[in-house]
Amino acid sequence: MIPHFTAAEKAFTYPTDRRAYLGMKPYMKVTLLVLVVGILGVAWLQYLFFGLPADPSSAFLPLQTTGPSGFPVWVNLSHWINFFFLVLIIRSGLSILFDHPRLYWNNNSKPEKQWIRFTPIKIPKDKFWTAKEDSRYLSPIIGLPGYRHTIGIARIWHFLTVPFFLLNGAIFIFLLFYTNQWERLVPVSWQIVPDAWNVLVHYTTFNFPVEPNGFYHFNALQQLAYFGVVFILGPLAMLTGIAMSPAVDNRFHWYPKLFGNRQSARSIHFLVMIAFCIFILIHVSLIAATGLVRNMNHIVLGTDNTESYTGLYIGIAIVLATVAFAFLAHWISWNKQRSLQYLQKSVNERLWRFTINRFKAKTAYQKKNITSYFWLNGRMPESAKWKNMAKSNFADYKLKIGGMVENPVELSLEELKEIGMEQNISMHHCIQGWSGIAEWGGLPMSKIIELVKPDPSATTVAFFSYGEGLYGGTYYDTHTLENCLKTDSILAWEMNYEPLSLGHGAPLRLRVENQLGYKMVKWIERIKFVQSPKDLGKGFGGKNEDDEYFDLLADT
Ligand SMILES: Nc1nc2c(c(=O)[nH]1)N[C@H]1C(S)=C(S)[C@@H](COP(=O)(O)O)O[C@H]1N2
Ligand SMILES: [Mo]
């Protein structure tokens, strides 16, 4: 089952430094400690000084069988479907997280400001340190597909499974209200809060509350927990996920603000995952502790049987099947990457093309929003030509524009500047997870298009770099003509009112603000208009798309 990496891939994907690490800012440690110790401590104090509160579940005794009873097939099905997809989503999410193993509360993505990190690395100050070098190894036992910087494949798993997870959740919620099953989950009185607290005091002090028999009723804490998972964690995971999309964020600037900003949305997305994990742990433990055989008959077969082991056995079989699928997913990830990529294209790329890819970015940031930190990414050009030009400040640089155009041109920086200039302040979204806000100044791509007059059948614009991709070969990427024509798509020679630095892409780089960072080619050598992305490289639309299974449309 060990993947066959090429030597170049292995050096990056399976590095010698695979140390695991968890570091948290003291204020976050204190917050967590206060939360956990505080809640448990107060429960214990109440118990010690005032005794055990009345058990609210005893209201259900003798057994009340009014209201919803039993578990219809759709509850049981959606429960296990949910479990299956949640495992895939969490595991692929962890692989995505470890590609930028730091979480922040503000847009800076400044390493000193992170509240948690999963890397022992302190950013070296004396050399270029890129976000890609900063990515961390994660064991494939935990992550899907695991290893290091496998975000392309991880995202495919994440985005292919999320629609099923959401659809399953939506059908579940619909049927909940279509039938009377909602009464089990949705609290109708604030009494649930003190009741749930009293149940919590029981659990915390190891005085198990009476079992109201989940076939008819959940106890107050259980009901509140299930309600929270279905109606808070699920939707919050979806909404914070959307808040990381460049197409959405740069079109609707208010949207990520609902969660603070893009980075706090990412942090909340992570905390929701942690909450899911804690829930699963406690849920499974209590299911086991309060009558495993009977509970499994409830949720698997929908019968209230205390004797038969059928439910338990089938439940175990479903868990084993999920584990078996994890092995299969691992195999697919390392042997059938292209098939995965094609699947992603036919499902999600199609979806994005007709929805969020149509959004036009609007720049609504001001000078004061510019972030003091902006990660570097990519591989500095090693080409002698570029290095020589850099020595003379790119005075003899010529941008070559050709392909399917009526009027191919070669333009120096001076000539580009004479055509026109636009400045705007926007947020950059890297696929790995970090973001930064900067001012970019340069020539709108629409002016270039006007000048060179592309053939009507040219739908794709390719940008080639002086730099190479991670595993060697020219770095390039493509955009739809449509995205190039949007207002904030520019060939930039200026960043934060200064000439572009060598690291950030001198002399010329691309900005297309509804896309992720990897589409914004730095150190541009030439531009070519082509009919389709299939005409270049391996045919997937860019160096990362070809070699790392990234998406052609990077709207999310
Ligand atoms: N030539 C080239 N351009 C590139 C890359 C690269 O590796 N090579 N990396 C891309 C990625 S992944 C990102 S996030 C941005 C980063 O731009 P920055 O270094 O200015 O932050 O550049 C993009 N452009
Ligand atoms: Mo990136």
Side-chain angles (χ1 to χ4, degrees):
M1 295 291 278
I2 307 246
H4 8 259
F5 297 126
T6 65
E9 280 169 355
K10 191 174 170 196
F12 209 82
T13 314
Y14 193 69
T16 44
D17 179 4
R18 298 189 300 276
R19 283 171 297 162
Y21 182 89
L22 179 69
M24 229 191 283
K25 274 275 155 71
Y27 75 88
M28 279 308 288
K29 283 189 193 155
V30 173
T31 311
L32 274 180
L33 207 71
V34 167
L35 241 128
V36 176
V37 176
I39 291 174
L40 301 186
V42 170
W44 266 98
L45 286 176
Q46 179 180 344
Y47 173 59
L48 293 177
F49 287 99
F50 303 99
L52 202 59
D55 180 355
S57 308
S58 51
F60 300 127
L61 299 175
L63 202 58
Q64 281 182 15
T65 52
T66 53
S69 71
F71 292 79
V73 177
W74 59 266
V75 168
N76 294 344
L77 265 179
S78 62
H79 171 272
W80 291 106
I81 291 172
N82 187 64
F83 165 73
F84 179 80
F85 284 113
L86 204 52
V87 170
L88 284 166
I89 290 172
I90 291 176
R91 295 186 64 231
S92 55
L94 285 169
S95 257
I96 296 171
L97 172 68
F98 272 59
D99 213 39
H100 187 66
R102 307 168 186 276
L103 290 167
Y104 321 87
W105 292 117
N106 57 51
N107 275 332
N108 257 338
S109 305
K110 196 178 190 162
E112 293 86 9
K113 288 275 164 74
Q114 71 216 345
W115 64 269
I116 192 168
R117 65 180 158 123
F118 311 94
T119 169
I121 306 281
K122 289 238 163 85
I123 313 285
K125 289 247 150 69
D126 52 339
K127 59 168 182 182
F128 278 134
W129 182 254
T130 65
K132 274 181 190 159
E133 289 171 279
D134 198 54
S135 62
R136 258 343 256 183
Y137 171 86
L138 180 67
S139 161
I141 296 170
I142 301 170
L144 175 64
Y147 299 93
R148 176 167 172 237
H149 189 51
T150 52
I151 189 168
I153 297 168
R155 274 166 53 97
I156 297 180
W157 283 112
H158 210 66
F159 290 132
L160 279 181
T161 45
V162 157
F164 291 99
F165 173 74
L166 293 179
L167 188 69
N168 180 58
I171 293 173
F172 174 77
I173 289 176
F174 171 78
L175 288 173
L176 211 54
F177 289 102
Y178 188 72
T179 64
N180 63 352
Q181 286 284 336
W182 65 270
E183 291 172 33
R184 284 171 172 280
L185 295 194
V186 185
V188 284
S189 141
W190 285 106
Q191 185 60 33
I192 187 95
V193 178
D195 282 357
W197 174 260
N198 287 346
V199 176
L200 183 84
V201 176
H202 278 256
Y203 282 124
T204 311
T205 57
F206 309 110
N207 295 290
F208 266 44
V210 297
E211 245 311 297
N213 187 1
F215 206 64
Y216 303 101
H217 291 281
F218 298 135
N219 76 41
L221 185 62
Q222 192 180 11
Q223 182 183 358
L224 211 55
Y226 294 173
F227 174 80
V229 165
V230 174
F231 291 97
I232 299 174
L233 290 189
L236 200 55
M238 177 182 78
L239 297 173
T240 51
I242 294 171
M244 288 183 263
S245 147
V248 173
D249 288 3
N250 274 334
R251 169 66 182 77
F252 303 106
H253 289 264
W254 53 268
Y255 185 72
K257 285 191 193 139
L258 296 178
F259 312 98
N261 53 65
R262 188 198 188 219
Q263 289 306 322
S264 43
R266 182 169 174 259
S267 289
I268 295 170
H269 200 70
F270 165 78
L271 290 173
V272 165
M273 183 274 294
I274 295 290
F276 265 120
C277 291
I278 294 174
F279 169 80
I280 293 171
L281 204 74
I282 297 178
H283 175 61
V284 172
S285 311
L286 285 175
I287 289 302
T290 60
L292 182 62
V293 168
R294 184 183 207 173
N295 288 335
M296 291 304 278
N297 282 329
H298 288 173
I299 199 62
V300 173
L301 301 173
T303 60
D304 190 24
N305 185 323
T306 52
E307 306 290 320
S308 157
Y309 276 68
T310 316
L312 180 61
Y313 289 150
I314 297 178
I316 291 173
I318 297 173
V319 173
L320 289 180
T322 307
V323 173
F325 191 82
F327 280 93
L328 180 66
H330 180 86
W331 184 85
I332 294 173
S333 299
W334 298 109
N335 294 282
K336 294 280 169 214
Q337 300 96 318
R338 285 293 177 220
S339 310
L340 271 182
Q341 194 176 16
Y342 279 120
L343 203 59
Q344 167 89 332
K345 276 179 168 300
S346 59
V347 180
N348 286 317
E349 188 180 304
R350 204 165 279 171
L351 184 72
W352 298 331
R353 190 177 295 279
F354 294 108
T355 54
I356 52 179
N357 191 51
R358 300 214 163 153
F359 291 169
K360 288 196 171 113
K362 287 183 176 168
T363 48
Y365 291 103
Q366 291 159 5
K367 215 167 171 175
K368 63 170 198 275
N369 302 120
I370 291 175
T371 53
S372 59
Y373 196 86
F374 203 104
W375 278 84
L376 283 169
N377 223 351
R379 210 167 117 183
M380 285 288 269
E382 281 142 38
S383 107
K385 177 142 192 239
W386 180 85
K387 283 183 177 165
N388 275 329
M389 285 191 301
K391 277 184 203 143
S392 59
N393 258 327
F394 301 97
D396 41 5
Y397 172 77
K398 288 263 186 194
L399 171 68
K400 294 169 276 294
I401 311 174
M404 300 167 66
V405 296
E406 206 172 287
N407 179 29
V409 288
E410 283 199 20
L411 300 164
S412 69
L413 279 178
E414 284 312 312
E415 287 164 323
L416 283 167
K417 286 174 188 171
E418 273 164 30
I419 304 175
M421 180 177 182
E422 188 182 285
Q423 290 172 307
N424 60 58
I425 304 172
S426 62
M427 184 191 283
H428 176 97
H429 298 62
C430 175
I431 192 172
Q432 297 185 268
W434 59 270
S435 33
I437 299 172
E439 181 271 347
W440 303 99
L443 181 64
M445 271 304 295
S446 57
K447 295 267 197 243
I448 296 272
I449 292 167
E450 231 169 76
L451 179 73
V452 300
K453 301 195 176 58
D455 189 284
S457 61
T459 60
T460 300
V461 192
F463 300 81
F464 294 87
S465 174
Y466 278 106
E468 299 206 333
L470 192 58
Y471 305 124
T474 301
Y475 191 98
Y476 78 100
D477 216 302
T478 62
H479 289 267
T480 60
L481 196 64
E482 193 192 347
N483 274 341
C484 288
L485 283 166
K486 288 178 183 169
T487 33
D488 294 320
S489 302
I490 61 175
L491 281 174
W493 52 75
E494 174 183 282
M495 177 187 187
N496 295 337
Y497 311 100
E498 303 273 345
L500 210 51
S501 67
L502 295 182
H504 286 295
L508 212 53
R509 73 163 307 159
L510 186 62
R511 301 297 314 167
V512 179
E513 304 303 349
N514 70 340
Q515 300 288 293
L516 288 170
Y518 65 89
K519 307 282 298 186
M520 307 196 193
V521 179
K522 303 197 288 187
W523 312 295
I524 294 177
E525 188 234 340
R526 64 194 168 95
I527 300 176
K528 188 176 181 190
F529 288 73
V530 293
Q531 189 161 14
S532 142
K534 295 195 181 103
D535 303 343
L536 306 160
K538 293 179 193 164
F540 293 87
K543 192 65 187 158
N544 295 299
E545 292 88 326
D546 285 348
D547 293 356
E548 298 181 49
Y549 314 98
F550 282 16
D551 297 302
L552 174 63
L553 293 181
D555 300 298
T556 184

